[in-house]
Amino acid sequence: MAKKYDLVIVGAGPSGLLAAKAAGLAGLSVVLLERKSDITRLDRMCGQTLVSVNDYYFDDLVYYNRQGKSIGFIKNGFSFAYDGPVQGCNAWHIYSPCGNRMPFGLPEETRKQGDSGMVGLAYDKEILFRCLLEEVQDAGVEVCSGIDVSGVESMKDRVKVSGSGKAFEGSYLIAADGTNSRIARVCGFNEGRTFYSYLLCRGSHMRKLDLPDPDILLSGITYRTPAPGFMFIFPRPYEGECSVAFLALDPRADLEKVERFFTHESPFFLPWFKNAESTRQLASAQYIYSPVKEPYKGRVLLAGDTGACQELENTGAMISGWKAGSAIAAAVREDRIGIASRGIADYVQWWKATYIEKCPHEAYLMNFALPYVLDTEEDLNYLFSLIKEPLPPCWNPYAAIGHIGQLMQGLIPTIQEERPAMLQKLAKMSQPMSQVLAEATRGCAPRMELK
Ligand SMILES: Cc1cc2nc3c(=O)[nH]c(=O)nc-3n(C[C@H](O)[C@H](O)[C@H](O)COP(=O)(O)OP(=O)(O)OC[C@H]3O[C@@H](n4cnc5c(N)ncnc54)[C@H](O)[C@@H]3O)c2cc1C
């Protein structure tokens, strides 16, 4: 016999935990199901930063309350305790293969503004999970770990979820099971979505790197593999430590080779890694689909990355989780007191207006598309060599693309004069992303089953 609840939530990542907290605090009977046996353990690569702490993101402003040791969202009016260490990220610099730089902010300037100058905030995600889990349990939520949900059955007035030999029934289900969501797939939410590629990643926590600035986010691009490879370096909130991720959009780019280029071969990047020690290795493999436009059907509501193109980022996942939990709390209350329903419709409307319309997924994908368009090292080195002024301080994949667009406008006359053929390549950026990334999509066939 399935146990019955107002709400079943699948996935105890940032979105599922915030959904559980919101619904639990509103007095619903909630069960949170998670595949991992230890919810506080991070089993997948993540930069462990809060993106965009210096600007609106998903229509909200995230903040870290240093005195009160909490993380909060001003407009949505929620916060949660975080008692772990933090490290400000004071700029984001992207490097071309030879080391030419596209700087979003200069740390020597942003540092002067203290916490208000940060573009992002690095934290320890395992501590964040522990803090959130405590609040979820305090809110009266039943937490079941080690449950790998495999079946969902939607009925007229309830939904039944099964996995790992157990069954749970709820008036509603929130699917917060991430970018490779099985629930989205079995419930038919993936129909009509465009499949672009994977995001494949391997990386480690590292010590003793010799970086130009230890408190900024760094990215690099290589063409030394059959498909472009990327590197991201995220500060960690522990002295001398950072997280280094090597990524590619398709399996043609052997990630070991990408890593070797940056850490052992490139005359520019190699010195950063001369004394590096890896302390913990992590990896991840995710689908990149176009977003789900209608995130509710059959009593199932999607939250966080489950319905997203790739990532809402931790910041967006938390906001959408909180809002999804609140939406179901409203729906349950509406049902009980017998008033017209609008809680879920409001969430769907928010999803469309705030994510689908204001954060176009094509803009997110452009962050990875540049080396597919400028398809030689030489092109990218040249383009970056033209950048003389810093771009606005930013750690927001959607806003960054707007800044790069403006930068390009200013560079076009020079490029026109010096490398007119490059303009034709750059013009490809205005094509649909399915065309820009067609090579990556082909590189992903036949499609792998990702968990
Ligand atoms: C390489 C990399 C670096 C990143 N760096 C950053 C960064 O610096 N800053 C940032 O903001 N974001 C970053 N992100 C994105 C961020 O990790 C995600 O956007 C965020 O974790 C999404 O939260 P979520 O709760 O929606 O999904 P997830 O965090 O994916 O959580 C989903 C949960 O559901 C569980 N689950 C899945 N399937 C099932 C099932 N069938 N049954 C039960 N449970 C299940 C999973 O175990 C997991 O705990 C990064 C992502 C990657 C891949």
Side-chain angles (χ1 to χ4, degrees):
M1 264 284 277
K3 220 175 146 184
K4 294 188 175 56
Y5 302 85
D6 293 323
L7 172 63
V8 178
I9 299 172
V10 179
S15 62
L17 286 162
L18 263 311
K21 181 178 168 184
L25 286 178
L28 268 57
S29 62
V30 183
V31 65
L32 174 64
L33 310 177
E34 166 58 48
R35 178 165 63 198
K36 291 187 291 184
S37 51
D38 177 359
I39 289 176
T40 64
R41 178 130 180 106
L42 184 67
D43 67 349
R44 204 195 71 177
M45 189 67 187
C46 179
Q48 304 180 58
T49 66
L50 288 177
V51 299
S52 202
V53 299
N54 66 338
D55 200 358
Y56 275 94
Y57 189 78
F58 276 65
D59 210 18
D60 208 341
L61 289 170
V62 61
Y63 64 89
Y64 173 60
N65 175 345
R66 216 171 259 281
Q67 216 175 2
K69 289 192 179 302
S70 64
I71 290 171
F73 293 81
I74 291 174
K75 279 183 70 184
N76 282 295
F78 71 94
S79 64
F80 57 88
Y82 170 72
D83 60 13
V86 294
Q87 164 69 55
C89 307
N90 289 309
W92 174 23
H93 292 178
I94 307 177
Y95 285 90
S96 76
C98 77
N100 291 337
R101 190 177 71 159
M102 180 188 286
F104 290 95
L106 295 177
E108 51 275 29
E109 295 301 323
T110 52
R111 277 182 207 127
K112 289 180 197 156
Q113 297 171 53
D115 281 2
S116 309
M118 303 183 312
V119 297
L121 184 83
Y123 58 90
D124 182 326
K125 202 165 177 178
E126 292 189 326
I127 297 178
L128 180 132
F129 280 151
R130 195 248 305 145
C131 290
L132 275 171
L133 183 61
E134 283 167 11
E135 294 198 8
V136 161
Q137 285 166 327
D138 286 348
V141 172
E142 189 179 324
V143 179
C144 298
S145 52
I147 306 283
D148 189 6
V149 171
S150 49
V152 179
E153 195 186 338
S154 282
M155 289 159 269
K156 191 169 164 284
D157 58 347
R158 68 213 143 93
V159 55
K160 190 171 164 188
V161 169
S162 53
S164 303
K166 299 210 169 107
F168 306 82
E169 238 176 64
S171 301
Y172 296 93
L173 163 65
I174 289 181
D177 51 339
T179 42
N180 301 334
S181 171
R182 187 183 280 151
I183 298 185
R185 180 155 46 92
V186 300
C187 293
F189 284 99
N190 287 354
E191 280 155 31
R193 296 175 82 181
T194 305
F195 172 74
Y196 291 103
S197 66
Y198 307 119
L199 187 67
L200 305 169
C201 171
R202 61 180 260 149
S204 12
H205 295 172
M206 285 188 183
R207 296 176 49 223
K208 298 192 182 163
L209 265 74
D210 198 359
L211 298 172
D213 288 286
D215 59 344
I216 69 169
L217 298 136
L218 296 157
S219 317
I221 300 171
T222 176
Y223 291 75
R224 295 291 167 89
T225 38
F230 303 84
M231 174 179 71
F232 281 81
I233 303 183
F234 309 87
R236 296 247 313 138
Y238 299 101
E239 186 66 31
E241 220 180 277
C242 53
S243 191
V244 185
F246 303 98
L247 298 102
L249 291 200
D250 73 73
R252 290 174 308 153
D254 178 340
L255 289 178
E256 261 184 71
K257 289 191 180 148
V258 175
E259 176 167 353
R260 202 172 319 129
F261 167 78
F262 287 108
T263 58
H264 287 85
E265 292 168 6
S266 154
F268 178 77
F269 295 104
L270 182 152
W272 296 4
F273 294 95
K274 228 168 57 201
N275 304 310
E277 286 171 8
S278 163
T279 54
R280 179 177 173 189
Q281 298 203 321
L282 287 158
S284 63
Q286 298 166 293
Y287 295 116
I288 302 186
Y289 278 108
S290 58
V292 174
K293 291 193 181 132
E294 293 291 338
Y296 179 72
K297 70 173 167 186
R299 297 193 160 258
V300 181
L301 186 63
L302 308 187
D305 282 0
T306 303
C309 165
Q310 212 289 309
E311 300 161 10
L312 296 189
E313 311 287 0
N314 294 302
T315 320
M318 288 171 191
I319 297 171
S320 104
W322 178 265
K323 290 189 87 77
S326 307
I328 298 297
V332 168
R333 184 125 183 87
E334 288 158 359
D335 289 348
R336 282 193 189 140
I337 54 186
I339 56 171
S341 59
R342 52 171 276 203
I344 294 173
D346 285 351
Y347 176 85
V348 172
Q349 213 255 325
W350 169 82
W351 177 268
K352 289 182 183 174
T354 313
Y355 173 42
I356 306 285
E357 282 164 29
K358 285 202 200 138
C359 297
H361 75 283
E362 292 88 350
Y364 176 87
L365 290 176
M366 278 185 199
N367 288 274
F368 295 100
L370 197 57
Y372 283 87
V373 167
L374 292 187
D375 53 2
T376 69
E377 243 182 73
E378 166 59 12
D379 279 344
L380 202 71
N381 287 333
Y382 166 74
L383 180 70
F384 278 35
S385 75
L386 300 178
I387 303 167
K388 306 293 180 215
E389 294 294 325
L391 288 87
C394 165
W395 178 229
N396 171 340
Y398 303 96
I401 290 305
H403 299 320
I404 293 175
Q406 283 203 330
L407 168 80
M408 292 296 190
Q409 291 303 318
L411 298 181
I412 281 174
T414 312
I415 302 173
Q416 174 81 63
E417 201 182 311
E418 296 179 355
R419 308 238 174 153
M422 226 175 94
L423 284 186
Q424 277 170 353
K425 290 188 180 180
L426 283 169
K428 282 195 210 146
M429 273 297 201
S430 55
Q431 291 176 350
M433 271 298 135
S434 52
Q435 254 167 274
V436 177
L437 295 177
E439 229 188 289
T441 313
R442 267 195 301 278
C444 295
R447 223 180 289 177
M448 294 187 286
E449 190 76 8
L450 301 182
K451 253 191 147 187

